[in-house]
Amino acid sequence: MDIALFSPSSIFDDSDGNSSDVETDDDVTANYVERSHDFPGMELRIREFSFHQHNANLLWPGTFAFAEWLVQHKSWIEGRRVIELGSGTGALAIFLSKSLQLDITTSDFDDQEIEENIAYNCKINGLIPALSHIKHTWGDIFPNSQSDWDLIIASDILLYVKQYPNLIRTISFLLKSFKAISPRTEENSGLPCPALLMSWRRRIGKEDEALFFQGCEDDGLEAQHLGSRVYCIKPRDLPRKMDGSGTSGVNRGTNNVFFGDG
């Protein structure tokens, strides 16, 4: 896995201004820093690594925009069994569990420090026991033989182009191996079952974006832009549930792959 040595502000369009207690000195010897972050309707206290080689150290700015979008579309996700890819600090999952009472599992690189930090953040925000967590490196064999999550979420994980094939392999497994553990209805949901909701705010070139979507298409997946830089990805043979109330973007490719302008 590549290691990025850069400032988060250099890869995002702007700062959302949702955080306080930001470090202002140049001391990077501390292992952690705790910050307060404003999410829709609540404040969370999140411990972040001062540095982590797998970029699980920071709460990325796009998380707040995605959280707002999910709250606005809560009828689409309520009652879903959810897994988050690239959970990092666990902040988004903690917010969704507390605000929408979602059944959500965190996951990230196979690293004990990441898992322990997510558990710590759960504890200081009143989630006891901690959310379930799966250590998984994209592209490796998934710890579960099949998926029982009908919704996958991910925010700002398209950082390394070289990791796209591994990421797509994991996404494809989770979507195509899905088997519901209990019957559920989708009458009030605007999403297919299963589906991935992916959002990103980092600056990503059109060529890299097209490369990711082409990889999804080659693996039998279909992507649709829902607006606000949020995409829904599903197996191609599943019917699309979205209607005009939440969908934007125009068809610029083949096999119903939608590429939005953001």
Side-chain angles (χ1 to χ4, degrees):
M1 178 76 73
D2 297 321
I3 299 173
L5 300 175
F6 46 71
S7 166
S9 63
S10 68
I11 60 173
F12 290 94
D13 292 331
D14 52 51
S15 175
D16 290 354
N18 295 87
S19 306
S20 61
D21 297 336
V22 179
E23 288 182 317
T24 57
D25 56 41
D26 293 327
D27 182 10
V28 294
T29 60
N31 291 327
Y32 303 101
V33 59
E34 287 189 17
R35 297 181 173 95
S36 294
H37 296 278
D38 293 323
F39 282 82
M42 72 175 64
E43 181 182 88
L44 296 179
R45 189 75 178 170
I46 299 296
R47 186 176 75 173
E48 304 167 65
F49 294 99
S50 295
F51 170 80
H52 194 278
Q53 62 178 341
H54 301 303
N55 284 311
N57 53 320
L58 295 173
L59 180 52
W60 301 107
T63 301
F64 305 106
F66 193 29
E68 291 179 1
W69 189 94
L70 290 169
V71 169
Q72 293 168 3
H73 296 82
K74 64 180 181 179
S75 64
W76 287 13
I77 63 176
E78 288 176 327
R80 295 277 191 156
R81 182 168 164 78
V82 185
I83 185 170
E84 181 186 20
L85 297 181
S87 297
T89 63
L92 180 59
I94 292 169
F95 166 72
L96 292 173
S97 177
K98 289 175 66 71
S99 64
L100 301 181
Q101 291 74 53
L102 286 187
D103 177 3
I104 187 165
T105 297
T106 59
S107 71
D108 211 305
F109 193 85
D110 188 352
D111 182 282
Q112 188 64 29
E113 285 187 328
I114 296 174
E115 180 178 16
E116 291 173 353
N117 193 50
I118 291 175
Y120 176 87
N121 284 329
C122 287
K123 181 179 179 179
I124 64 174
N125 287 286
L127 283 183
I128 303 173
L131 298 173
S132 298
H133 179 79
I134 291 180
K135 292 186 287 187
H136 170 67
T137 300
W138 299 336
D140 289 355
I141 296 175
F142 204 79
N144 300 34
S145 60
Q146 65 182 27
S147 168
D148 59 9
W149 296 281
D150 56 9
L151 180 61
I152 309 163
I153 63 170
S155 175
D156 286 318
I157 61 173
L158 297 182
L159 186 59
Y160 297 117
V161 175
K162 289 193 295 185
Q163 287 298 319
Y164 287 1
N166 290 330
L167 173 58
I168 292 168
R169 191 173 300 120
T170 290
I171 292 171
S172 186
F173 168 80
L174 289 171
L175 291 175
K176 294 179 181 179
S177 71
F178 169 72
K179 184 176 182 181
I181 58 177
S182 61
R184 67 179 302 276
T185 63
E186 298 175 71
E187 295 177 358
N188 297 321
S189 176
L191 296 175
C193 179
L196 162 68
L197 285 176
M198 172 182 283
S199 171
W200 64 87
R201 289 287 171 130
R202 66 173 292 262
R203 294 167 183 155
I204 179 172
K206 288 295 183 182
E207 297 82 5
D208 292 345
E209 182 179 283
L211 184 64
F212 173 75
F213 284 122
Q214 186 62 54
C216 288
E217 180 181 356
D218 292 344
D219 216 43
L221 304 177
E222 175 180 299
Q224 185 175 7
H225 185 217
L226 307 182
S228 300
R229 298 186 184 180
V230 177
Y231 289 79
C232 177
I233 297 176
K234 71 175 188 66
R236 188 179 300 140
D237 56 356
L238 280 180
R240 184 181 290 114
K241 298 284 290 186
M242 283 73 70
D243 57 28
S245 62
T247 301
S248 64
V250 294
N251 190 351
R252 297 180 181 171
T254 59
N255 295 322
N256 296 319
V257 179
F258 281 64
F259 299 90
D261 289 319

